[in-house]
Amino acid sequence: MRGNLGGPRILLRRLRETMAKPTDAQERLNEIVRLIAANMVAEVCSVYVLRADNLLELYATEGLNPNAVHQTQLNVGEGLVGHIALEARILNLSEPQEHPAFAYRPETGEEIYHAFLGVPILRAGRVLGVLVVQNKSQRIYSDEEVEALQTTAMVLAELIASGELKGLSGPGGDLDLVRPMRINGLSMAEGLGLGRVVLHEPRIVVTNLIAEDLPGEEQRLETAIEQLRLSVDDLLSRDDISHGGEHREILEAYRMFAYDRGWVRRMVEAIHSGLTAEAAVERVQSDTRARMLRSTDPYLRDRLHDFDDLANRLLRQLVGNRQGSGDGQEDTVPSDAIIVARNMGAAELLDYGRDHVRGLVLEEGAPTSHVVIVARALGIPTVGQAEAVVSLCEDGDSIIVDGDMGQVHLRPPSDVEASYVDQVKFRAKRQEQYRKLRDKPAVTKDGVDVDLMMNAGLLVDLPNLADAGAKGIGLFRTELQFMVAENFPRMREQENVYRKVLDSTNGMPVTFRSLDVGGDKVLAFLRMAAEENPAMGWRAVRLGLDRPGLLRTQIRALLHAAAGRSLKLMFPMITNVGEYDAAIDLFNREMTHLERHGYEKPSSILLGAMLEVPSLLFELDELMDRVDFLSIGTNDLHQFMMASDRGNARLSGRYSSLSPPFLRALRHVIRKGDKKGVPVTICGELAGKPFGAMAMLALGYRRLSMVPSAIGPVKAMVLDLPLGELSAVFGDILDTAVNDKEIKDFLADFAEKHNIQVPAGNV
Ligand code: PEP
Ligand code: MG
C-alpha cells in the first residue's frame, strides 16, 4: 500500500505544481490521477469527461486497465459514474456494488472494490465530467478527503474549459463543452442573426484556486460577506424600496441568502479544504446551481437567479479586491456580436452600438418589455425565455439566433450553420424584393389606399423611414430618448431631437406622443416610488398632469421644434375625457406663452389621444368630439382588456390580439371613428403582423403604424389583398367566432386561397 503523502493540503499544493509544469494535457491528467491515488491511498483514481454525444469517456486512470483510457464510455445515468453525472451529486459509498445504479464494466479490469467516492466535475452548475477514487478495502472517505476531491474536480473543470484536452478523446468524441445545442425560447424580434456570443455580464473567472494562507482566506471571505450584508441591508432600508413591490422581494431573497448560515458554512469548509475565498464561493455556487437546476420546484428555480446574483456580487468583491478594480473589457465587442444576457435594460443594449449587434438572447424578457421594443426598433433578431442559456455558453462560442422560430443554436454543427447561411441569403433577396416595393404606394388589389407608417423613438430609427418605404411616423415614442439619457433632457435638448425628427421626414407626417414613462418604462434619473401595479400606476399622462412642469416643457420643446411646420401630438393612457381636457388645457397655455413671446407657431396643429384604457371605449362619442385623431395602442389596450400583464412572460401567448372580444372592441372604435369623421390609427404591435394587419383592414382601419421591419411584409400583403372580398365575410366570422384560432385559421385560408404573401412565423 502506498503511504499517505500528507493529506489533502499537500495534495492541493502538488496539484498546483502539476498545473504549473509545461507538459502535455494527457500527461497532466495522468499525473493528477496518480497524485490523488497516492495522496488518498486509493487503488484507483479515474477521470471521466462528458462528451458532446453525452457519453462519459475515461480520460485518465490510475489503477484500472490503462488500455481502457479513451476506450471506455458510459452513458449519463449508467453505473455509478453515470449516476453522479446525471444527478450532479457526490457519491460516497462503502460496498458500492450494492448501490442500485452499480454496473460492472469488465474491460476496465475492475475488481471488487469496497469503497467508492465520486464527485461531479462542475462549472457554473454544469456537469463536465466525473472524478472517482476506489479502494479494495472497506473504508470511509473523510469529509476532508471529499472536499479535496471536489477541489481537484474544480481544477479539472478549468482544465476542460480551457480547451487543453481538445483532441485527446477517443473516436467520435468531442467535449461536451463544445456540444451543439438547440435552446427553445420565445420569438421576441424577428430575423436571423449569426455570430459569436458576447456575455452581457462576463462570467467572473476565478483563476486563483488554491490557497496559500487558509486563515487569511477565511478572513477575506468573512470581510466580503460582511460587506455584502451591509450593502443588502442598505438597499433594503432605502426609502424608495421599503414600501414593497417586486424589487423589494428580490432584495429580501438576497438578504435571506446573505444571512444563510448553511451557505457561509459550506464556503468556509471549502476554504478549509485548501481553496482561496473566491474559489470557495465559486464551488459552493456551482454545487448549489447544479442542485437548483435539477429541482422541479418552480419557487426554488426562480430563486436561483437571486442566489446567483448574490454569489456573483460576492465573487466580484473578492476578485476585485485581489486584482484591483475594473476589468478593462469594454470596447472589445466583436463586429458579429450576439448578446446573451439574463435580462438587460434598453440603454445597456444601445451601449453596444447597433453596428456590432447581430442578435440578442435573453433568459428572461417579454415581447413588450422595453429592451425588446428597442431591439425590435433596431431590427435586432431577439429570442427571450431561453432557459439557462447564460450558463450554457461561453464568450466567443458560435451562435445562431432564430428570431422567427424563437430558437437559439449554440455552437451549431456545420450543416445547421450552412442552412442558416442559405436562409440569410434568401432573406437578403426577399428584403431586396421589399426594397423594390419601397416606393410603391400601399394599395390593395382592389384599389384601397392604406397608410403604412412606422413607429420610432430614437434618432437611430430615422434612416429606416426611407429604407422601409413608410409614409411617415405614426408613433414617435418620446420617452425612449429620455430612457437612454443620463439626466433629464432639458428643453433645448428635447427641442433639438424633435427638430431632427421633423427635419428627417421630408414633410411626411410625424405623430409625437407625449412622455409615456412609468410602468416598465423606467427613467434612471426619475425616482419613482415602488408600486403594486406599475402598469396601472402613476404613469404616462397621469404623471404629466400631476407634474405639469414636465409636460409643459415637453410641449414647449415640440412647439419650438415645429415652428412653421405641422405638429401632431397625442397623449398616452388617457382614461377619461377629463384627462384629455386637462392635457389640452396645458397645451393651450403653452400656445399662449408662445404667442405672448412672439415665437413662430406651427403651421398646423393636430391633437389626439391614445386609446389604451378600456374605459374610453364607453366614452367614445365625447372623446371623438374633442380630438383631431385617435391612435390605438393595442399593446396596452389588450393588456388592460384581458387583465394580462404585457411584460409577464408566463402570460405571453395566452391571450391573442386576434381574439374575438378584442377585435370586436376595435371594430366598435373604427365604426365610431368613421361615423364621426375622426381618423383612427393602430400603432401597437398588432399592426405589424401581416395577419393582424389583414384583420385591421378587414375591420375598416386604413392607417397602421408598425416597426420599420414589418412595413415590407405588410405592404406585400396589402398589394395582394382583395380587401372587399375579405371585408364582406370577415364581419360574419367575427360575429360567430368563439376563439382566436377560428380567426387565424380563416385568415390563413383566405391568404392561401388568394396567394397572399405572409411570411412564416407572422401570426
Ligand atoms: C401600445 O400600448 O400599444 C403602444 C403603442 O404604446 P407602448 O407600447 O409604447 O406602450
Ligand atoms: Mg402603450
Side-chain angles (χ1 to χ4, degrees):
M1 189 190 271
R2 277 168 285 248
N4 182 334
L5 297 186
R9 287 201 203 137
I10 301 290
L11 168 64
L12 293 184
R13 192 171 316 143
R14 293 265 158 83
L15 205 56
R16 188 165 43 192
E17 289 159 11
T18 306
M19 295 303 287
K21 274 192 212 157
T23 169
D24 73 49
Q26 185 66 55
E27 189 41 45
R28 208 190 294 287
L29 277 181
N30 294 345
E31 210 169 318
I32 290 174
V33 288
R34 264 198 307 271
L35 256 179
I36 299 170
N39 186 277
M40 291 178 66
V41 201
E43 276 85 16
V44 173
C45 175
S46 314
V47 177
Y48 295 82
V49 177
L50 187 62
R51 304 188 340 182
D53 52 9
N54 219 24
L55 291 174
L56 289 152
E57 178 178 316
L58 181 65
Y59 260 58
T61 184
E62 170 73 5
L64 297 185
N65 180 358
N67 293 332
V69 171
H70 298 305
Q71 299 300 321
T72 288
Q73 294 151 13
L74 299 164
N75 285 310
V76 169
E78 181 187 350
L80 297 178
V81 172
H83 186 75
I84 293 167
L86 182 69
E87 298 288 326
R89 268 179 200 280
I90 299 167
L91 272 186
N92 185 358
L93 305 169
S94 56
E95 300 308 337
Q97 64 280 11
E98 285 170 15
H99 191 281
F102 181 81
Y104 179 66
R105 300 298 298 253
E107 78 271 22
T108 58
E110 202 168 20
E111 297 170 38
I112 295 300
Y113 289 93
H114 293 283
F116 175 103
L117 170 62
V119 300
I121 300 173
L122 292 175
R123 185 175 148 88
R126 189 174 162 195
V127 175
L128 301 185
V130 176
L131 176 62
V132 173
V133 289
Q134 288 164 279
N135 275 77
K136 281 190 190 145
S137 55
Q138 221 177 20
R139 61 167 291 193
I140 300 288
Y141 300 100
S142 69
D143 287 351
E144 248 194 327
E145 285 173 317
V146 175
E147 289 278 350
L149 205 62
Q150 279 185 288
T151 301
T152 315
M154 254 182 110
V155 175
L156 288 171
E158 285 310 312
L159 197 65
I160 296 170
S162 73
E164 225 185 291
L165 305 189
K166 225 174 162 188
L168 288 188
S169 60
D174 256 337
L175 289 188
D176 179 60
L177 212 59
V178 298
R179 174 154 57 113
M181 276 185 177
R182 197 185 71 192
I183 302 163
N184 290 320
L186 285 180
S187 159
M188 307 245 157
E190 283 145 25
L192 300 179
L194 280 73
R196 279 178 288 156
V197 169
V198 171
L199 287 170
H200 176 54
E201 286 184 324
R203 203 161 287 138
I204 304 149
V205 183
V206 177
T207 45
N208 196 348
L209 295 175
I210 300 167
E212 285 175 41
D213 163 20
L214 294 191
E217 293 301 328
E218 205 175 329
Q219 186 57 48
R220 285 181 65 230
L221 178 71
E222 210 172 283
T223 311
I225 288 176
E226 203 44 52
Q227 275 173 11
L228 182 77
R229 287 176 177 166
L230 281 176
S231 68
V232 173
D233 288 347
D234 188 42
L235 279 172
L236 267 163
S237 65
R238 268 176 35 188
D239 247 16
D240 49 348
I241 32 187
S242 52
H243 298 300
E246 195 187 353
H247 197 148
R248 188 182 174 85
E249 254 174 51
I250 292 171
L251 285 172
E252 289 286 6
Y254 280 8
R255 175 145 74 181
M256 189 183 82
F257 285 119
Y259 283 89
D260 184 90
R261 280 208 226 127
W263 184 43
V264 176
R265 182 179 37 78
R266 285 197 301 278
M267 290 189 288
V268 171
E269 279 168 9
I271 290 181
H272 287 170
S273 82
L275 289 180
T276 58
E278 53 267 43
V281 176
E282 193 186 26
R283 196 176 82 211
V284 174
Q285 181 184 17
S286 201
D287 289 349
T288 312
R289 275 196 119 251
R291 234 167 307 130
M292 281 177 154
L293 276 173
R294 280 163 181 75
S295 160
T296 46
D297 177 348
Y299 176 78
L300 252 190
R301 290 178 67 105
D302 275 355
R303 293 279 73 85
L304 176 61
H305 288 328
D306 303 334
F307 171 73
D308 255 353
D309 272 345
L310 198 75
N312 284 339
R313 270 170 189 244
L314 194 55
L315 268 180
R316 241 173 245 125
Q317 220 153 40
L318 286 162
V319 175
N321 286 349
R322 202 191 277 279
Q323 293 173 349
S325 56
D327 47 19
Q329 284 186 20
E330 306 86 8
D331 62 54
T332 50
V333 183
S335 58
D336 58 350
I338 307 271
I339 312 294
V340 178
R342 222 168 72 199
N343 213 342
M344 71 198 293
E348 290 174 299
L349 177 62
L350 288 163
D351 280 345
Y352 283 98
R354 173 64 188 97
D355 293 345
H356 287 287
V357 182
R358 296 223 182 141
L360 175 65
V361 181
L362 300 171
E363 268 186 27
E364 299 173 358
T368 45
S369 69
H370 239 272
V371 62
V372 172
I373 287 179
V374 170
R376 221 172 302 153
L378 293 173
I380 298 173
T382 303
V383 170
Q385 298 290 304
E387 200 180 334
V389 67
V390 173
S391 61
L392 294 174
C393 60
E394 302 280 333
D395 262 318
D397 275 351
S398 64
I399 182 171
I400 296 172
V401 181
D402 183 339
D404 296 344
M405 303 304 289
Q407 284 178 348
V408 178
H409 298 267
L410 256 184
R411 303 172 289 269
S414 53
D415 54 338
V416 172
E417 186 160 342
S419 113
Y420 272 97
V421 169
D422 277 352
Q423 279 193 56
V424 167
K425 283 192 192 143
F426 172 75
R427 271 159 203 244
K429 244 195 229 156
R430 203 164 64 189
Q431 282 304 327
E432 198 43 51
Q433 286 167 353
Y434 292 147
R435 245 191 299 279
K436 284 194 190 126
L437 302 181
R438 192 174 59 182
D439 302 318
K440 259 195 168 182
V443 181
T444 64
K445 207 169 183 179
D446 47 354
V448 179
D449 277 330
V450 179
D451 282 353
L452 299 183
M453 289 169 292
M454 74 169 210
N455 294 347
L458 298 167
L459 293 177
V460 291
D461 293 331
L462 299 176
N464 289 325
L465 187 61
D467 290 351
K471 246 185 139 177
I473 297 178
L475 164 65
F476 191 88
R477 292 179 163 105
T478 57
E479 65 278 2
L480 294 196
Q481 204 67 41
F482 284 65
M483 287 172 67
V484 298
E486 304 257 308
N487 300 304
F488 206 94
R490 292 171 184 279
M491 206 270 284
R492 291 285 165 216
E493 287 170 59
Q494 294 188 42
E495 184 187 330
N496 281 338
V497 172
Y498 305 145
R499 181 171 295 116
K500 281 189 189 143
V501 175
L502 290 168
D503 289 347
S504 73
T505 58
N506 278 329
M508 283 192 266
V510 180
T511 307
F512 289 100
R513 172 174 77 183
S514 72
L515 209 53
D516 183 7
V517 292
D520 67 330
K521 299 163 185 179
V522 186
L523 302 189
F525 43 83
L526 186 71
R527 270 224 186 166
M528 305 268 291
E531 295 179 305
E532 258 323 278
N533 296 300
M536 296 194 285
W538 193 56
R539 59 171 283 205
V541 81
R542 302 167 180 184
L543 190 148
L545 293 176
D546 290 353
R547 294 278 179 276
L550 209 136
L551 187 50
R552 283 183 68 169
T553 305
Q554 185 174 38
I555 293 171
R556 193 173 296 183
L558 283 162
L559 284 169
H560 284 311
R565 347 186 223 195
S566 306
L567 175 64
K568 208 171 165 191
L569 171 65
M570 61 185 178
F571 300 96
M573 285 288 290
I574 296 283
T575 307
N576 54 48
V577 291
E579 279 179 351
Y580 185 73
D581 290 343
I584 296 302
D585 187 45
L586 290 183
F587 187 89
N588 289 337
R589 284 193 214 188
E590 281 309 311
M591 281 299 286
T592 310
H593 173 90
L594 208 66
E595 280 159 12
R596 198 176 298 145
H597 290 83
Y599 288 114
E600 188 183 3
K601 286 196 278 185
S603 55
S604 71
I605 294 174
L606 294 174
L607 298 175
M610 281 194 77
L611 200 168
E612 306 186 272
V613 183
S615 61
L616 274 189
L617 293 169
F618 302 92
E619 217 176 11
L620 279 177
D621 284 323
E622 296 81 351
L623 184 68
M624 292 212 184
D625 287 343
R626 289 164 160 81
V627 296
D628 296 316
F629 66 95
L630 271 185
S631 191
I632 306 184
T634 47
N635 306 338
D636 274 318
L637 186 61
H638 185 262
Q639 110 163 318
F640 296 124
M641 274 190 68
M642 301 299 177
S644 170
D645 180 351
R646 63 191 267 189
N648 185 331
R650 292 219 174 101
L651 297 176
S652 64
R654 189 180 184 108
Y655 305 108
S656 164
S657 302
L658 290 179
S659 63
F662 191 62
L663 292 182
R664 287 176 200 151
L666 297 181
R667 177 169 65 182
H668 175 62
V669 180
I670 191 65
R671 281 182 177 163
K672 272 269 191 274
D674 286 347
K675 207 156 125 202
K676 294 260 183 189
V678 172
V680 189
T681 303
I682 302 280
C683 68
E685 306 300 318
L686 179 63
K689 308 280 178 195
F691 283 138
M694 250 170 103
M696 294 306 100
L697 294 173
L699 293 179
Y701 288 92
R702 299 292 177 262
R703 290 157 211 262
L704 307 175
S705 192
M706 63 200 73
V707 282
S709 60
I711 291 190
V714 170
K715 194 186 275 187
M717 179 276 289
V718 167
L719 293 170
D720 289 343
L721 181 68
L723 181 55
E725 208 175 310
L726 175 66
S727 311
V729 284
F730 192 71
D732 291 342
I733 301 287
L734 186 53
D735 285 338
T736 54
V738 290
N739 58 48
D740 57 295
K741 187 173 179 305
E742 284 179 59
I743 308 274
K744 278 183 211 158
D745 288 349
F746 167 75
L747 292 172
D749 286 349
F750 189 90
E752 201 180 318
K753 204 164 113 210
H754 293 85
N755 232 343
I756 298 171
Q757 291 184 47
V758 179
N762 265 305
V763 181

